[in-house]
Amino acid sequence: MSIAENLLSIKKTLPNGVTLVAVSKTKPMSDLQEAYDAGQRIFGENKIQEMSEKQALLPKDIEWHMIGHVQTNKVRQMAEYVSMIHGVDSLKLLEEIDKQAAKHDRVIDCLLQMHIAEEETKFGLDVSELMALLSSEKLTTLSHICIKGLMGMATFTEDKIQIEKEFKHLKNIFDTAKSSTTSNCQMAILSMGMSGDYELAIACGSNMVRIGSSIFGTR
Ligand SMILES: *Cc1c(COP(=O)(O)O)cnc(C)c1O
């Protein structure tokens, strides 16, 4: 099947209110253009350099989502155009995003990445770190970022019960965190689910899915 056909068949299965981020990392410009021509406007990349190269050449109405781990010293390179940063897992990184966004007179939407998987290697906050961040005095001073929700990745396993347990856990954290609404923190987005597990993620309460290989083919 073509990229356009894959895209449309996935879109058909998504309930209203679930946003699709087409994960185009490692894929050539022509693949992104094909998805764009089929109506897709939100693309996810995990390397800032690669995202910036694509952003410079593709249509300007694309919303670029950074879904990978972000190094503080690279925020500057995407601050002018990035639409949402999914992998924020420290106050220090939020401060840097705020600083760089201010230079462009922008407010950058961020998701806080939660650690829900069993693997030690995955980035993210635990619940107590999340609560500490959300209640920090410093956060109230950042006027060029807006925390829009949470993001998480389940353990890389075939065990659906395990994945479901982790997704439900993240949904619970999200529901708790929602109550702490401030001018720069409006929890509305729960970004969870990839090609292999997005249907389960949606059933567990996700409203933003990040799908790569089911649209563009294996990497
Ligand atoms: C690559 C990636 C995805 C998409 O993975 P697929 O299995 O290809 O759908 C989603 N989220 C993150 C954070 C990724 O790095």
Side-chain angles (χ1 to χ4, degrees):
M1 288 222 295
S2 71
I3 290 168
E5 285 168 333
N6 289 339
L7 193 58
L8 296 178
S9 73
I10 289 169
K11 275 191 174 170
K12 242 184 268 167
T13 70
L14 297 181
N16 279 338
V18 176
T19 302
L20 171 62
V21 179
V23 176
S24 49
K25 62 191 186 195
T26 78
K27 296 297 177 181
M29 220 75 85
S30 54
D31 285 8
L32 283 77
Q33 185 69 52
E34 188 177 340
Y36 180 89
D37 292 340
Q40 183 63 25
R41 291 294 179 272
I42 306 178
F43 291 86
E45 292 280 338
N46 71 341
K47 295 208 169 69
I48 296 174
Q49 180 72 29
E50 182 180 340
M51 182 169 75
S52 295
E53 286 166 12
K54 289 171 173 173
Q55 188 272 338
L57 294 171
L58 286 163
K60 294 300 171 245
D61 62 341
I62 290 176
E63 286 179 33
W64 293 95
H65 286 213
M66 172 43 59
I67 60 168
H69 184 68
V70 176
Q71 284 171 277
T72 315
N73 62 355
K74 296 207 172 137
V75 173
R76 187 173 39 82
Q77 299 174 31
M78 61 178 168
E80 190 176 358
Y81 70 86
V82 71
S83 166
M84 183 173 277
I85 303 177
H86 289 231
V88 179
D89 64 357
S90 73
L91 187 58
K92 184 171 150 258
L93 182 55
L94 271 179
E95 288 180 53
E96 177 64 14
I97 296 167
D98 183 75
K99 181 177 149 193
Q100 298 300 333
K103 291 184 184 170
H104 298 282
D105 203 18
R106 299 187 64 215
V107 174
I108 296 180
D109 291 340
C110 296
L111 302 180
L112 299 176
Q113 184 171 356
M114 298 301 298
H115 179 97
I116 53 167
E118 277 185 341
E119 293 113 334
E120 280 298 324
T121 53
K122 295 234 167 99
F123 298 102
L125 304 162
D126 64 29
V127 176
S128 62
E129 289 168 332
L130 171 70
M131 294 312 168
L133 196 160
L134 291 179
S135 59
S136 74
E137 198 54 45
K138 185 77 205 181
L139 181 61
T140 63
T141 69
L142 307 180
S143 55
H144 293 273
I145 56 102
C146 187
I147 296 173
K148 291 284 184 176
L150 302 179
M151 179 270 218
M153 271 189 283
T155 303
F156 188 70
T157 173
E158 291 292 308
D159 184 353
K160 295 277 175 212
I161 306 285
Q162 171 76 21
I163 297 173
E164 182 176 25
K165 200 180 89 190
E166 293 171 2
F167 282 159
K168 283 184 169 165
H169 177 53
L170 182 53
K171 174 67 160 67
N172 278 331
I173 300 169
F174 177 66
D175 288 339
T176 309
K178 261 193 205 164
S179 62
S180 58
T181 297
T182 62
S183 61
N184 65 356
C185 183
Q186 288 143 28
M187 293 274 180
I189 297 175
L190 182 53
S191 167
M192 62 180 191
M194 328 203 318
S195 290
D197 57 21
Y198 73 90
E199 282 152 317
L200 182 53
I202 292 168
C204 294
S206 167
N207 58 16
M208 182 173 278
V209 291
R210 310 175 309 269
I211 301 180
S213 46
S214 292
I215 298 172
F216 296 105
T218 51
R219 288 179 294 272

